[in-house]
Structure formats: C-alpha cells, structure tokens
C-alpha cells in the first residue's frame, strides 16, 4: 500500500466532489489499487487555508465546509498560508490544483503548477488555464524535475479522453480529432433540434445551471476552443494559441438551418476539430452538420464526446460526462491513480 | 530504448497485420514510446516454424509468406519446432498467441499461454479461447510468475475496451456493462432496419466475408457470449461459464419486430450485458430494443461499442472497430506497449 499526501488548492465544487469520493469510496479504491490518499492541506481564497501534516478526515472536511462555508474551525498546525506557501511548505507529495480558470492569462494557476513542479511535487489540475496556455513548458519542466503533471479533468471532466489517446491509442497514429467538447451548447442544440428557440433554450440552460449569466464563454465557443488548444498540445505536439483557432459559436444558427440539416439526415453539433494535413495543423471550433450515421450525431444533451481518427485503428469514439462535481472529482482520482500506476 | 523479442504462435491474418504494423510504423513507434520489437520466432500450423535468435526483418517475413504461403525459405537456426518448443526454447521475452479460437475447449491456446507464463515469458493473446475459458487461472499464474498477460484483442479487436475499464476507469465502480460485441450481427441488424430481409442480408454478410459459411457462431450469439464471459472475468471478478449466459441470437427477429421498434423510436441491437445486482451477476446476450437516444443506438454497420455504467462517472461509451486484420494487429501492439509502460 502506498500513501499519497495531497494539498488541495481550491475547494469549490470539484474539490468537494473529490473529497466526497475519498469519503465514500476511499477504502474500496485502496483495496483495489493499493493507493491511499490523505489530504494534508487545503488553501481556498474564500474558505481559508489549513495545514496539518497528519492529514484530515474527508467526512469532517465536508461537514465543516458545508456547515460553515469556512475551514477555520478545523485543527491545524498552520493557518492562513497562501497557495504558494501551502505548496512549498506542506509535506504533500501531490498538489491538486482546482482554482478558478482564467483562459486569458492562465494565472494564478500556472504559477501554482510551476511552484509544485519546482518543489518536486506531482501536480494534477482540472483548470483549463495552465493546460491551454502553458502545457508544453509545464510538461517539460515536470520531466526535468522527475514529477508527473496530470490534466485529464480539463477536457471532458472525468471521462478519460486524454488517457485514452496518450496511453491506449499510443502508436495508433491520431491524424484527426473531432469533439463535442462543451455540454451547454450541445444541450442547447439538442433542444433546438426538437423545436425550441435559441432564446428559450438559453434561458432554460441558465436556469438549469448549465450556462452562466454571461453565456458567451459557451455559446461563442471559447470554452471548446480552450479544450482544442489542450488537445493540440498534448496529442499533436502543436503549440497553437486560442487566436489560431477558426472560431464560430452557435449564436447564428436559425430554425431554417436546423430544418435544412434534418432534411439531409444531419444534425448541428458544435465541433472542436484538429486535423494534420501536409505537416500543418488545422484547428477549428464551428457549428457543423454531422451525418446521423456518425457516432457524434447520437450524442445529445449535456454529454460530451470525442472521435479520434487513427492510421491503424480507424475511428475511435469516447462518449461521457463533460462536467459535474463528482465527474470532475473523478478526473482528479483518475490522474492520481495514473501517477500511482507509473510509480509502482 | 528497450527491445522486446517476440515469438508469434500463429501467422494468419492477425499475425500478418501485426507484422505489417511493425514494418510500416515500427520506427515511429520506437521514437514515440522507446520500445522496439523484434520477431525471433514464428510457429504456424500451415506455414511452418522458424527461429533465429537475432530476429527477422518484418518486410522480408511478409514478402516470403505472401509469395510462398510458407516460411521455409527464410534462414533459421532451428526449424519445425512445435508451438510449445518455440515458446520454451526461443529467446523471446514475449509470446504473441494468435492461433485459432476454440470456444469449447480453449485448446491448444490455453496450453500455449500456460507454457509461456511458466517459462516466465509475457504473453499476449487475441484468441478468445484462453480469455473466455481460463482468464482468472492464467492471470493468477501470470502474477505468480511475475509476467504480464494481455488479452485486449479478444473483445473489440484493437479498440481498447479492456484497457479503458481496467486502467482509466479504475475506481469508478463499473456496475453494468452493455455492448455491441459482434460486428456481423450488427451489420445485419442495420441492413434489416433499412428494409432488407434476414436471408438476403445474411448472404450479403457472407459474401463480404463478415459471416462464415456456417454463421451460427455469430447469429446465435455465441461469439458475443464468449466476450461477455471475458468481460465478467476481467471487470467484474466473476467466473461465469458460457452456459450461464441467458442467450438468444438474432435469427427470430421479424420485419414486424423491426417496424414496431421503429414506431417506438428504438432500434434492435444484439446486446451483450452484465449487471451487478445484490451481489449477483446477471449475464445475457439478447436482441434488445435500444432507444434512439442511447449512444449504442447510433452504432451501425460492423462497428462495435461498449457502455460502462459507473458509480462515479455515469455512462462511458467506447465505439470502434470490432474486427479486422490491422485493427486486431493493433491490439497486439497495444498490449505490448501496455507491458512496456508497466516495465519502464
């Protein structure tokens, strides 16, 4: 049995989902995998910062934060350390970075990941910022410092789109990637195909909590574009910028467009795509008419999916959750178990 | 760079597909993964048996066998060894078992896998026999002898259904599995949904090489049942027999059945299923009406697919090839690279 001490940077929905997994399934996971996880530090901008080298009971962490919204009533050897101090000073073996995503600067998350690596701590992030804006530098640093850098949660939450490509399809030769990478817009397009208007379905998505009050990150395609950048860096060794992507959101799709697609046995999907052609990479996020016979056409509602076109194996499609508290919490667990497998 | 010496037992379509991959992509694979593969021995019931400790050039192997149908014109240190001798005597690190499948006895493949393990050689098989009839004993033996036993190619050819479940979904808690595990019957059901008769589409499947002259292994569900047994053993730790499976093929589906499903927005699929309920495992292979909204409904033609229902991540579906020379060849490569990852 190998025990990993964890420092959590950020303790919002994803962090609490992950701790809930440890609370409810921790023992089973240890029995099955030989890995156990102990949370020794948490640093959250709103909930406070605690550190105790022996670790915390997951159930107690959840009880306290759900009751008080703050961590301060828990025992601690040190309190009020900032994120960098928590990363550097704590005895954690792995830093789990779950702070807010900023797709413009990637900060402060890039700084946190960098600090973890330079202090020889493995680091796992669910934050698209570091993965989209600095993946290759950070991955190279991690190699130099002999630690692992996991980003599974940044693309399809816990659905292992990155692990599938980097591990199980290694050697298959991925030449093209097409994905439904944003659940909100896929939900909206599904409802629009059933006859709802753009305005009504946007309102519904907002009331369901799928879309933000300012929905532009989803409907203009920026969220999907961030994921395309991550896929390019990880799977096609291509350092592209958000501004390199041929980008179009779903805001201009009309009922007439939807009707026309249906007449041709096609469905509109917001497809993030990468294609290798003559040594170049073409990256786009665009509403695309997908034939009903394509596996992505059947992916409805808030579900995500990705199709890898490969030289040796043809098309391989993975369909699953693209968001959610437990689902993204599972992405953290998946990356941790991936680290455990490579260290055994 | 780590070099693996391989002994191939069986050199039919799959074996030749695998060697073609080494010929065409071997250097790229080595650059990407640090693993290189050298074929030192081949033993095939029809094509003969050769062994040369320094190994063979993949291109030459393919040229000779495609020209002569025999291996005997190739240089060799030893010839005419039988499979067991080849496994025991050769300097191979890994035995790649690709002999004919016998789902009744699992032989002679079980014997070959057993010999490899007891001679401390890793073993990879694409043969459903050993995986369906003796997975748990062989896996336990492999653990005792400190070698790896890979069976990815036995379920969905190179589409990594087993790797996804055992590695990337580790800890997610798989409670139910549903799969389209036989391409021939899925092709037939797809065509029947388009209006073709059972008799016509069976003839067509036979002329395309999808179905055998005696199609009962496919249409009666035996092939899918073998795969359900493998999934049960590997993913649900359940030793079930073929006779434990609630089995029904597609031979009784009528045009009226198909019409009725369509009226209910459903499609007929031959679904292999496993479900954990109250500590028991229920296993079946049955024509099933799947709602069009389910990811498996969109899987048409000879394509295969599997949906894992999990405690932590909801449903995860993988869609891809279920057969084919290069595709099953890739399964061998996938297992070999999996072994390489665990040994690094």
């Amino acid at each position: 049995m190998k025990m990993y001490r964890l420092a959590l940077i950020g303790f919002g929905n994803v962090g609490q989902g992950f701790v809930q997994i440890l609370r409810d399934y921790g023992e089973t996971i240890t029995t099955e995998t030989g890995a156990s996880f102990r949370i020794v530090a948490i640093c959250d901008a709103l909930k406070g910062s605690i550190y105790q080298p022996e670790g915390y009971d997951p159930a107690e962490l959840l009880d306290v934060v759900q009751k008080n919204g703050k961590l301060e009533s828990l025992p601690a050897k040190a309190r009020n350390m900032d994120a960098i101090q928590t990363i550097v000073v704590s005895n954690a073996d792995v830093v789990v970075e779950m702070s807010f995503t900023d797709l413009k600067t990637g900060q402060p998350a890039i700084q946190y990941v960098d600090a973890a690596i330079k202090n020889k701590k493995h680091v796992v992030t669910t934050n698209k910022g570091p993965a989209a804006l600095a993946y290759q530098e950070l991955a190279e640093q991690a190699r130099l410092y002999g630690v692992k850098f996991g980003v599974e949660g940044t693309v399809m939450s816990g659905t292992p789109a990155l692990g599938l490509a980097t591990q199980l399809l290694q050697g298959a030769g991925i030449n093209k990637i097409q994905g439904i990478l944003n659940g909100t817009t896929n939900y909206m397009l599904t409802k629009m195909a059933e006859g709802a208007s753009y305005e009504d379905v946007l309102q519904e998505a907002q009331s369901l909590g799928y879309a933000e009050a300012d929905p532009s990150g989803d409907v203009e395609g920026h969220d999907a574009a961030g994921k395309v950048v991550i896929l390019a860096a990880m799977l096609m060794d291509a350092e592209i910028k958000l501004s390199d992507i041929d980008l179009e959101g779903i805001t201009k799709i009309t009922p007439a467009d939807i009707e026309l697609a249906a007449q041709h046995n096609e469905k509109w999907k917001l497809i993030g795509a990468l294609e290798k052609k003559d040594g170049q990479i073409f990256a786009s996020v665009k509403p695309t008419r997908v034939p009903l016979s394509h596996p992505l056409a059947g992916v409805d509602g808030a579900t995500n999916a990705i199709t890898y076109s490969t030289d040796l194996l043809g098309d391989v499609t993975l369909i699953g959750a693209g968001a959610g508290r437990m689902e993204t919490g599972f992405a953290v667990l998946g990356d941790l178990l991936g680290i455990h497998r490579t260290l055994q």
Side-chain angles (χ1 to χ4, degrees), chain A:
Chain A
M1 208 269 289
K2 194 165 157 73
M3 196 261 286
Y4 298 85
R5 286 172 299 233
L6 312 179
L8 312 188
I9 307 302
F11 198 48
N13 258 324
V14 173
Q16 291 175 48
F18 171 63
V19 173
Q20 197 176 327
I21 291 172
L22 291 188
R23 182 191 68 188
D24 299 343
Y25 299 89
E27 280 185 34
T28 316
I29 291 164
T30 302
T31 309
E32 278 181 17
T33 66
S36 82
F37 302 100
R38 187 171 297 172
I39 293 158
V40 295
I42 300 182
C43 176
D44 183 277
L46 303 171
K47 300 183 185 70
S49 169
I50 51 173
Y51 168 48
Q52 179 162 270
E54 313 80 60
Y56 292 96
D57 172 26
E60 199 182 351
L61 283 174
L62 288 171
D63 283 350
V64 165
V65 86
Q66 280 159 14
K67 204 182 297 165
N68 309 334
K70 298 275 182 192
L71 296 162
E72 61 198 9
S73 68
L74 286 155
K77 183 188 167 200
R79 293 178 191 280
N80 303 322
M81 292 197 289
D82 65 21
I84 296 286
Q85 285 175 315
T86 302
I87 293 164
V88 174
V89 172
S90 79
N91 65 349
D93 311 298
V94 189
V95 172
V96 182
E97 202 289 316
M98 300 173 289
S99 67
F100 291 108
T101 292
D102 180 333
L103 266 181
K104 292 224 167 62
T105 67
Q107 295 297 1
I110 290 177
Q111 218 184 308
Y112 299 161
V113 172
D114 186 66
I117 292 171
K118 290 192 175 143
N119 284 275
K120 297 203 175 169
K121 299 181 179 191
H122 305 293
V123 58
V124 164
T125 185
T126 58
N127 185 322
K128 286 189 293 292
L133 300 174
Y135 180 76
Q136 293 190 316
E137 302 91 284
L138 293 170
E140 180 55 26
Q141 290 270 25
R143 265 190 295 276
L144 288 174
Y145 282 83
V147 295
K148 302 287 171 187
F149 174 38
V151 301
E152 185 64 77
T154 62
V155 174
M156 276 170 60
S157 74
T159 307
L162 298 176
L164 176 65
T166 56
Q167 294 171 51
L168 305 179
L169 297 180
Q170 210 184 17
I174 294 172
N175 53 57
K176 188 174 167 185
I177 302 173
Q178 293 173 279
I180 296 173
L181 303 172
N182 178 274
T184 308
T185 47
N186 201 52
Y187 176 82
M188 291 174 66
L189 289 172
T190 302
K191 290 288 168 181
M192 285 163 72
E194 292 165 4
S197 74
Y198 177 83
E199 291 71 23
D200 286 352
V201 77
L202 175 57
Q203 225 167 36
E204 192 190 336
Q206 284 169 326
S207 73
L208 284 167
Y210 289 165
E212 315 266 329
D214 171 6
S216 60
D218 292 320
V219 299
E220 304 283 0
H222 302 298
D223 173 71
K227 292 166 180 173
V228 166
V229 171
I230 297 169
L231 292 166
M234 285 198 70
L235 309 182
M236 293 192 161
D237 201 22
E239 204 162 344
I240 62 172
K241 297 197 192 73
L242 283 167
S243 55
D244 295 333
I245 294 177
D246 185 1
L247 178 67
E248 190 185 324
I250 65 161
T251 55
K252 290 177 199 152
I253 294 181
T254 64
D257 292 331
I258 285 176
E259 179 58 32
L260 196 67
Q263 283 168 14
H264 288 82
N265 289 315
E266 294 172 338
K267 265 192 202 173
W268 284 100
K269 294 288 176 193
L270 183 65
I271 299 290
L274 283 161
E275 191 163 6
K276 272 189 200 167
K277 254 189 204 162
D278 311 322
Q280 278 195 292
I281 306 280
F282 295 87
S284 60
V285 172
K286 277 185 186 180
T288 306
R289 277 165 51 177
V290 178
L292 291 184
S293 59
H294 193 282
L296 293 181
V299 178
D300 283 335
T303 304
N304 283 15
I306 196 159
T307 298
Y308 295 113
S309 298
T310 70
D311 297 334
L312 294 182
L313 196 56
D315 284 2
V316 177
T317 299
L318 184 70
I319 303 173
R325 167 192 169 98
M326 298 295 280
E327 291 82 352
T328 313
F330 178 75
V332 172
L333 178 67
D335 271 343
L336 292 172
L337 292 174
I339 291 171
H340 176 60
R341 277 197 300 277
T342 65
L343 298 182
Q344 268 178 313

